[in-house]
Amino acid sequence: MSSQPLASSQASSGRAPELDAVIVGAGFSGLYMLYRMREVLGLNARVFETGDGVGGTWYWNRYPGARCDSESFYYSFTFSPELDQEWEWTSKYPEQPEILRYLDYVADRFELKRDIQLSTRVIEASFDEENDCWRVFTDDGKSITARYLISAVGCLSAANVPDIKGIDDFEGEWYHTGSWPHEGVDFSGKRVGLIGTGSTGIQAAPRIAAEADHLTVFQRTANFSIPARNAPLSAEDWADIRKNYPEIRRVLKSSMAGFPYTLTERSAKDVDDEERTAIYEELWDHGGFKFLWGSFFDIMLDLDANATAADFIRGKIRRTVKDPKVADMLVPTDHPYGSKRPPIDTDYFETYNRDNVKLVDIRKAPIAEITKNGLRTEDSEYELDIIVFATGFDAMTGSLLRMNIRGKGGRTLEDKWAAGPRTYLGLQVEGFPNLFTITGPGSPSVLVNMPIAIEQHVEWISDCIEHMRENGMRRIEANLDAEDAWVDHVNEVASMTLFPRANSWYMGSNIPGKTRVFMPYPGGLVLYGERCQDAVSKGYEGFTLQP
Ligand code: NAP
């Protein structure tokens, strides 16, 4: 990307913008934002989407084993009771193709596709101060103006492929899980290397091991994981879910993390060992995030409380993995449970009991280079036919920054965020009027069941735009003091939790050179929703609105 702004070559039109809004991305956020803009506000909006289909995260992440880690009937839109009745998930944790089919169905069901321009990447957006609008440039060489620019790019969409020496010389195939080939990858008879043991690597490893001739997992950090306990949903299950949808939705919207579990008031330190173990055993058998959100309130607040959960999981790993040396390598020791995003799995630790799977500790002997025939660590060489990078994403800010956004005075978002992202409520950035970020840094976003976080943001933004129109306003911008106060508040709340104790993508520490700062808001959905509503009821306190 040239550092010369494309906008400087465009004369300001002096006319009303061509669109009310440009929305970037056609995943959960972009689809619902478009629905609200068009069907609820009656406005003229267009979505630009890089992929050649809708679905966002679920369009790109097609790797084997990709599935949701929140139960399907919580991980879906809640805005349409008709949609609730029409769609039926096949299982508790559906696989990626089913979620993609759901999003495609939603796009067709609400006739959204006519306003979605696929295979189009936004390469720059510049704020036109004279006309209070954004000029948005796309990679087809065109540009368009819109009053509002709404980012629906997702928190985990800028793939992180590590800069490892020799990758271009590799004569086999290599893939990043976040941009997986649509035709799939045939692992049969192949020697596969998998780098990364986050949620993605943990989902992919058992599936690759079952298909490949041999799998070598290159692990930098051992990770905690809880069994998902996926199961099909029967007709009786569905009858129950449908009947209870209103109550399920009520509880999840009034919960800490957008799940229908009420956070218990008991501390892990207030019960004796026997009772605590019985609680953990029950949640282990239940599977999924309930282990974190339905056990004790202080797991993410208190190291000693956390240690009880961490030790329980370590014990499970040791009992599952037959080779004690391999089990030793798999037992996490350097971060509290939950301080890195906790994966849930299907037979992950069991995979290491297979004869065709080897675990390599690349913390002890780091990867030195990729060679013609495989990969060399500081102490060994591994011959590989396929390398799979499950190495995560430049999370929360990567996709926003890649759009080359320029606000007032031509200042880039990259410059504004040089020392880490700064937003007011994760919704707006001072100096970037009429730009909204759905689940932006500083909002609960990735700490909450995503569709619920997304719906709350989309509804706040569309209500705000409605308010602007009703009151003849054309410009809204976060105030610097409100932004500063919000960033301080996010940091203060984060420092009360155990999140900052891990090197995680929440902290930006997975990307070399990225500022280490906790990016999502850990205060929970309810508290956050109240803060957003509070700003509205005080006349959009913290924002400046101009006619
Ligand atoms: P991730 O959690 O960032 O994990 C990346 C893995 O790659 C880590 O093990 C990391 O090691 C390793 N790694 C990164 N750079 C490396 C390098 N240069 N050399 C060696 N190893 C390297 O990424 P992810 O697994 O793709 O997951 C990202 C997020 O996506 C998840 O946390 C979750 O929110 C979401 N996700 C959700 C689901 C779902 O079930 N719905 C599934 C997959 C992903 P370190 O730990 O040492 O950095």
Side-chain angles (χ1 to χ4, degrees):
M1 168 69 54
S2 109
S3 58
Q4 195 58 8
L6 292 175
S8 64
S9 60
Q10 305 281 330
S12 156
S13 70
R15 291 197 302 259
E18 293 153 273
L19 295 170
D20 293 307
V22 159
I23 300 163
V24 191
F28 267 99
S29 317
L31 294 178
Y32 186 39
M33 194 72 238
L34 176 59
Y35 172 83
R36 293 286 300 201
M37 293 299 285
R38 213 179 64 190
E39 304 302 320
V40 179
L41 302 190
L43 299 182
N44 186 7
R46 185 179 304 169
V47 173
F48 291 118
E49 163 59 54
T50 306
D52 61 14
V54 301
T57 289
W58 298 103
Y59 172 90
W60 297 105
N61 284 271
R62 296 166 186 247
Y63 60 87
R67 63 169 76 237
C68 189
D69 59 6
S70 306
E71 281 93 329
S72 49
F73 45 100
Y74 320 151
Y75 189 85
S76 37
F77 285 120
T78 71
F79 70 87
S80 164
E82 296 79 25
L83 179 63
D84 280 354
Q85 296 308 312
E86 290 161 19
W87 187 266
E88 202 163 287
W89 297 101
T90 58
S91 65
K92 249 171 101 179
Y93 299 103
E95 288 217 30
Q96 172 271 338
E98 190 175 345
I99 305 173
L100 189 58
R101 273 200 306 281
Y102 169 74
L103 291 168
D104 207 55
Y105 176 79
V106 170
D108 285 334
R109 165 78 173 73
F110 297 102
E111 296 178 28
L112 299 174
K113 286 182 182 169
R114 67 184 146 94
D115 290 313
I116 300 175
Q117 189 173 321
L118 299 171
S119 308
T120 308
R121 179 181 286 279
V122 170
I123 54 168
E124 185 179 317
S126 289
F127 188 65
D128 173 344
E129 294 182 56
E130 215 172 297
N131 296 297
D132 293 323
C133 66
W134 285 89
R135 182 169 283 280
V136 179
F137 297 84
T138 45
D139 63 354
D140 53 4
K142 296 185 179 154
S143 76
I144 196 159
T145 53
R147 177 73 67 218
Y148 301 100
L149 173 61
I150 306 176
S151 165
V153 293
C155 298
L156 293 155
S157 39
N160 165 41
V161 179
D163 184 15
I164 302 177
K165 185 180 143 203
I167 193 164
D168 294 334
D169 302 329
F170 183 53
E171 289 182 352
E173 307 155 42
W174 69 263
Y175 307 97
H176 187 282
T177 49
S179 42
W180 200 255
H182 287 202
E183 61 282 11
V185 176
D186 183 5
F187 291 108
S188 50
K190 299 284 169 58
R191 296 160 303 175
V192 182
L194 172 67
I195 305 177
T197 51
S199 303
T200 301
I202 280 177
Q203 284 185 333
R207 295 287 282 272
I208 298 175
E211 204 186 315
D213 183 48
H214 190 271
L215 171 68
T216 309
V217 179
F218 296 92
Q219 172 189 275
R220 189 164 71 179
T221 308
N223 214 338
F224 295 99
S225 185
I226 302 288
R229 313 260 182 237
N230 189 32
L233 291 167
S234 65
E236 296 78 62
D237 293 332
W238 267 106
D240 259 10
I241 292 166
R242 289 224 166 87
K243 200 167 71 201
N244 291 324
Y245 252 143
E247 179 59 10
I248 293 172
R249 271 31 191 304
R250 189 194 64 73
V251 180
L252 62 86
K253 286 187 179 183
S254 57
S255 72
M256 173 87 182
F259 292 102
Y261 321 129
T262 315
L263 198 62
T264 115
E265 284 178 13
R266 71 190 163 201
S267 159
K269 298 191 294 190
D270 285 349
V271 292
D272 63 26
D273 288 355
E274 198 180 332
E275 188 180 348
R276 196 186 309 109
T277 305
I279 290 167
Y280 285 144
E281 284 291 356
E282 191 192 324
L283 293 171
W284 183 267
D285 290 344
H286 178 276
F289 284 139
K290 200 171 180 184
F291 188 90
L292 180 63
W293 297 117
S295 51
F296 301 102
F297 81 89
D298 48 357
I299 300 275
M300 285 308 300
L301 300 175
D302 182 290
L303 260 187
D304 294 332
N306 189 284
T308 65
D311 283 345
F312 178 86
I313 302 171
R314 290 185 188 112
K316 288 288 185 188
I317 298 172
R318 289 193 192 284
R319 281 194 288 282
T320 305
V321 179
K322 291 188 181 136
D323 181 337
K325 282 198 196 123
V326 177
D328 260 353
M329 288 161 69
L330 286 166
V331 165
T333 51
D334 71 342
H335 62 280
Y337 167 61
S339 57
K340 277 176 185 271
R341 158 91 174 201
I344 66 169
D345 72 271
T346 303
D347 296 336
Y348 174 63
F349 295 110
E350 289 81 350
T351 297
Y352 294 96
N353 295 332
R354 297 177 63 109
D355 293 336
N356 69 336
V357 175
K358 181 176 173 62
L359 179 65
V360 173
D361 183 347
I362 52 168
R363 173 83 56 196
K364 250 192 203 152
I367 297 173
E369 62 172 341
I370 291 176
T371 63
K372 207 158 62 101
N373 301 318
L375 188 154
R376 192 172 64 77
T377 64
E378 283 179 5
D379 65 2
S380 298
E381 255 191 270
Y382 302 88
E383 294 211 338
L384 302 169
D385 303 306
I386 300 178
I387 299 177
V388 175
F389 290 95
T391 43
F393 302 89
D394 183 354
M396 308 216 55
T397 56
S399 297
L400 273 162
L401 295 178
R402 284 180 194 186
M403 279 193 286
N404 201 22
I405 297 174
R406 293 168 187 273
K408 287 194 314 199
R411 186 179 189 191
T412 64
L413 191 59
E414 196 170 11
D415 179 50
K416 163 100 189 184
W417 285 1
R422 303 187 71 77
T423 69
Y424 178 40
L425 295 169
L427 282 162
Q428 272 224 308
V429 183
E430 180 272 336
F432 296 78
N434 294 3
L435 166 68
F436 291 103
T437 51
I438 303 174
T439 64
S443 76
S445 58
V446 292
L447 301 179
V448 168
N449 179 19
M450 281 307 284
I452 305 305
I454 286 167
E455 284 191 339
Q456 187 262 345
H457 256 199
V458 167
E459 286 162 18
W460 192 97
I461 293 166
S462 73
D463 290 351
C464 171
I465 290 175
E466 191 174 23
H467 172 89
M468 301 269 298
R469 292 177 66 82
E470 278 171 358
N471 292 281
M473 300 289 172
R474 334 204 299 180
R475 189 193 272 220
I476 178 166
E477 181 184 353
N479 298 339
L480 188 58
D481 56 350
E483 184 178 271
D484 287 346
W486 183 250
V487 171
D488 288 348
H489 175 62
V490 173
N491 288 333
E492 188 192 348
V493 178
S495 71
M496 291 170 358
T497 72
L498 302 178
F499 285 116
R501 291 180 181 253
N503 287 320
S504 66
W505 58 259
Y506 293 146
M507 300 287 300
S509 39
N510 62 327
I511 302 295
K514 192 167 173 174
T515 306
R516 199 173 188 281
V517 55
F518 192 75
M519 293 184 285
Y521 175 60
L525 191 64
V526 176
L527 191 63
Y528 174 75
E530 284 167 9
R531 294 292 294 251
C532 292
Q533 257 338 97
D534 200 40
V536 174
S537 55
K538 291 180 178 153
Y540 285 88
E541 188 181 54
F543 297 93
T544 298
L545 278 62
Q546 285 173 23

